[in-house]
Amino acid sequence: MADCRNAASVPDHAQRMNLFDRLRKDPSLRLSENGRFVLYTLRTQLCSTEDWKRLAPAVPMHGRSAVAEILSACADDLMEVVQELRRIEDSMAG
């Protein structure tokens, strides 16, 4: 699986969808309520990122700073989740 720890290794959208499709086939995710919610939320995130790329030019000039602030805060929140997932993975590996 791709390591997203540096910008050069961040997978493009097609690679992200490939990773998602592999996760979607995982019975430990598909067959539990929490796992299905993870898949649903991850799929929503993948779609919303593409939507934001498409919609960004439509945000009026007077609202761009506020939208950027909100998206930046959301990105920070997601990075906290990424770091927690990596901490758990590292603790189990080591």
Side-chain angles (χ1 to χ4, degrees), residues 18-55:
N18 186 18
L19 291 171
F20 175 77
D21 286 340
R22 289 188 0 219
L23 287 172
R24 194 170 47 101
K25 294 173 186 171
D26 184 335
S28 63
L29 290 169
R30 284 186 306 113
L31 301 177
S32 72
E33 186 175 343
N34 283 336
R36 286 188 297 274
F37 189 68
V38 165
L39 292 171
Y40 168 80
T41 305
L42 191 54
R43 176 71 171 139
T44 301
Q45 179 65 42
L46 287 167
C47 291
S48 68
T49 299
E50 290 303 302
D51 289 341
W52 277 114
K53 288 177 184 177
R54 182 177 51 80
L55 292 171

Side-chain angles (χ1 to χ4, degrees), residues 4-94:
C4 297
R5 292 180 194 206
N6 69 52
S9 68
V10 175
D12 68 18
H13 186 73
Q15 290 170 314
R16 289 181 224 163
M17 290 306 297
N18 186 18
L19 291 171
F20 175 77
D21 286 340
R22 289 188 0 219
L23 287 172
R24 194 170 47 101
K25 294 173 186 171
D26 184 335
S28 63
L29 290 169
R30 284 186 306 113
L31 301 177
S32 72
E33 186 175 343
N34 283 336
R36 286 188 297 274
F37 189 68
V38 165
L39 292 171
Y40 168 80
T41 305
L42 191 54
R43 176 71 171 139
T44 301
Q45 179 65 42
L46 287 167
C47 291
S48 68
T49 299
E50 290 303 302
D51 289 341
W52 277 114
K53 288 177 184 177
R54 182 177 51 80
L55 292 171
V59 175
M61 194 61 90
H62 64 273
R64 288 182 179 187
S65 180
V67 170
E69 248 341 278
I70 292 167
L71 290 174
S72 180
C74 291
D76 290 345
D77 292 345
L78 286 171
M79 284 308 299
E80 288 180 24
V81 175
V82 168
Q83 290 168 353
E84 180 61 21
L85 288 170
R86 290 199 173 118
R87 273 194 293 274
I88 292 168
E89 188 176 40
D90 291 346
S91 71
M92 295 179 85

